[in-house]
Amino acid sequence: EVQLVESGGGLVQPGGSLRLSCAASGFTFSNYWIHWVRQAPGKGLVWVSRINSDGSSTSYADSVKGRFTISRDNAKNTLYLQMNSLRVEDTALYYCARAEGGFSYGSLDYWGQGTLVTVSS
Amino acid sequence: QPVLTQPPSASASLGASVTLNCTLSSGYSNYKVDWYQQRPGKGPRFVMRVGTGGIVGSKGDGIPDRFSVSGSGLNRYLTIKNIQEEDESDYHCGADHGSGSYFGEVFGGGTKLTVL
């Protein structure tokens, strides 16, 4: 069974940092692109970042470029999102999601349950 | 990059049918769109991908036959027949975009489906 489990969320002050993790199981993690998508309370889905199967290619939404860094450890079947210079508007539930078929353009066919990040003073 | 537009809400009676719409912005009529279901308090769940020719690939795990898709021009539709209580969810559409300065997913604002 494919599973994605996010962790690392919490309450942080503006300007602070947080590292999210996404532990994968039930599939060959190293074969797939993985994305981060966030959802502010009561709002829609917003794409954040993605990384290719071996970690050599990444892309980011303009709103987080230069502040967030996506990475992965295929030996540990884990995806990360390092978030620096956090802003109040980064408050959201953060999901990791797998792209189908090992392609960057694949549908996001499996999602985790999310981890909540709250940025507030 | 494309803009995906969804009506914020829809409703349908138990056992009836409903069609949800996702409209691509002009110039993106060749784009495929993914539909996702999000039940209250849960993470999104992949439903299926749709292009102008209909479904692309396979449905997501456990998606019943009551769910179908179609596409025409800039519109991508998700139809649910014989609506059940468990279909009450937010439905999001999304599309992959990879050119210029943007390489990533674009999502619509979501449609909240209420089962009456």
Side-chain angles (χ1 to χ4, degrees):
Chain A
E1 178 192 6
V2 173
Q3 282 199 319
L4 296 166
V5 180
E6 303 91 341
S7 61
L11 175 64
V12 61
Q13 291 188 337
S17 298
L18 215 53
R19 189 177 84 153
L20 306 184
S21 299
C22 168
S25 61
F27 65 101
T28 305
F29 181 70
S30 59
N31 286 351
Y32 290 85
W33 289 67
I34 309 288
H35 297 240
W36 285 104
V37 176
R38 68 186 181 184
Q39 186 173 34
K43 302 296 185 182
L45 301 175
V46 175
W47 178 78
V48 174
S49 181
R50 71 182 183 189
I51 188 168
N52 72 339
S53 56
D54 67 6
S56 62
S57 176
T58 60
S59 55
Y60 300 90
D62 285 346
S63 59
V64 307
K65 203 173 292 183
R67 299 188 299 122
F68 289 12
T69 302
I70 190 172
S71 63
R72 65 192 295 163
D73 185 337
N74 285 345
K76 295 182 177 179
N77 290 340
T78 303
L79 172 77
Y80 302 102
L81 186 67
Q82 177 66 43
M83 303 186 297
N84 298 331
S85 303
L86 281 162
R87 304 168 179 168
V88 171
E89 55 265 35
D90 295 320
T91 294
L93 197 55
Y94 284 73
Y95 296 101
C96 59
R98 186 186 84 166
E100 181 187 26
F103 305 111
S104 65
Y105 51 84
S107 307
L108 303 183
D109 61 352
Y110 287 95
W111 298 63
Q113 289 300 298
T115 186
L116 181 63
V117 173
T118 303
V119 185
S120 174
S121 54
Chain B
Q1 65 265 28
V3 174
L4 279 62
T5 302
Q6 299 181 253
S9 64
S11 63
S13 299
L14 198 63
S17 296
V18 69
T19 295
L20 307 180
N21 185 27
C22 174
T23 303
L24 291 151
S25 53
S26 177
Y28 296 97
S29 60
N30 62 325
Y31 270 51
K32 301 174 182 62
V33 157
D34 296 312
W35 282 99
Y36 301 96
Q37 177 192 54
Q38 187 176 26
R39 288 175 172 149
K42 300 292 187 182
R45 175 192 187 194
F46 172 64
V47 178
M48 68 187 88
R49 173 171 280 189
V50 56
T52 52
I55 187 172
V56 179
S58 303
K59 292 182 180 180
D61 287 350
I63 300 298
D65 291 343
R66 303 183 290 102
F67 286 69
S68 63
V69 292
S70 60
S72 175
L74 295 171
N75 295 303
R76 306 290 182 264
Y77 304 102
L78 174 67
T79 298
I80 311 172
K81 297 182 179 179
N82 186 22
I83 288 179
Q84 303 298 303
E85 288 185 1
E86 64 262 28
D87 299 332
E88 185 161 287
S89 303
D90 291 329
Y91 289 87
H92 306 273
C93 61
D96 177 80
H97 178 72
S99 68
S101 63
Y102 192 94
F103 288 82
E105 295 290 308
V106 179
F107 292 99
T111 296
K112 183 177 183 60
L113 175 64
T114 301
V115 178
L116 304 172

